[in-house]
Amino acid sequence: MRPYFIVLLLVMLAACSRPVVKEPVPEPVAPGPAVQLPQEDNPYAQHYVARQLHGIKLSQGAGEPTIYQGGKELDDYQHMLNDGYQMLGYTSFEAPELSFSYAAAHAAEVQADAVVVYKKLITAPMATMDLQPVKTQVSAQPHAGAAADIYSYFATYWGKLAPPVLGVHVMQRSNNDAGPGLTVLAVITHSPAAKAGVAVGDVLLSLGGEALSSPQVLQQAAHRHAGQEVELVLRRVNAEKRVHVALGTAL
């Protein structure tokens, strides 16, 4: 299982150590015929880990969730952040081959707008896992693959954010980093931050004269100044930079 904080740390390290390039887009796929089974019998639901989201406003999604076939995890993660999505949770398990309709069924249950699915054929199941219940359960479904082949599955679930006031994903700096501020992990495309020239790897120091000590402080400052043009102070490499950003309207 890939804990969320490990994925986030890898994204931060990658963002700060490589030039910004246009990341590949995960490939959308057809989920296939819908499956009718209780969520407790769906491996995607059984192993789902929800993130604790505080103060995050999602748009009111409509229609069926979009299912993507994942490629490179870090690139896909960066793309979803840039495209205005927030990660809701993830799941990781081993099972016989499943159609994407299983992921779609659970996405609808947790009200996710998109799911990125990674599937890899493994030579043998983990010795500590008893897969017989999963094999028996899945082999009874009409869209399951041959029970002889075992796959490793990992899926991330995403909700579309409401139009952002600022439009950045940030991480609080560790105690080992010199100085205060918040490191930018992603900039949402066409957001106020993107239009002001904020880039991945920038360290945000203050917004509207308010020092930024945590993501929560940034969120509160952005909403206090929503709809206004304010000064954003940031550090890029070793130089301090001041830009003016026209914040969006808070919903």
Side-chain angles (χ1 to χ4, degrees), residues 158-177:
W158 301 83
K160 188 72 171 179
L161 291 168
V165 176
L166 180 58
V168 292
H169 294 272
V170 297
M171 173 175 276
Q172 192 161 356
R173 310 188 80 204
S174 70
N175 293 332
N176 295 327
D177 292 323

Side-chain angles (χ1 to χ4, degrees), residues 65-81:
T66 303
I67 311 300
Y68 294 98
Q69 174 73 63
K72 295 182 178 180
E73 289 181 31
L74 293 183
D75 289 336
D76 293 343
Y77 188 92
Q78 190 77 46
H79 170 78
M80 297 301 286
L81 292 180

Side-chain angles (χ1 to χ4, degrees), residues 94 122-133 135 150:
E94 293 180 0
I122 56 178
T123 56
M126 293 172 57
T128 57
M129 292 188 66
D130 179 10
L131 292 176
Q132 189 56 46
K135 290 181 181 180
I150 301 299

Side-chain angles (χ1 to χ4, degrees), residues 33 70 120 138 174 234:
K120 181 180 180 181
V138 174
S174 70
L234 57 87

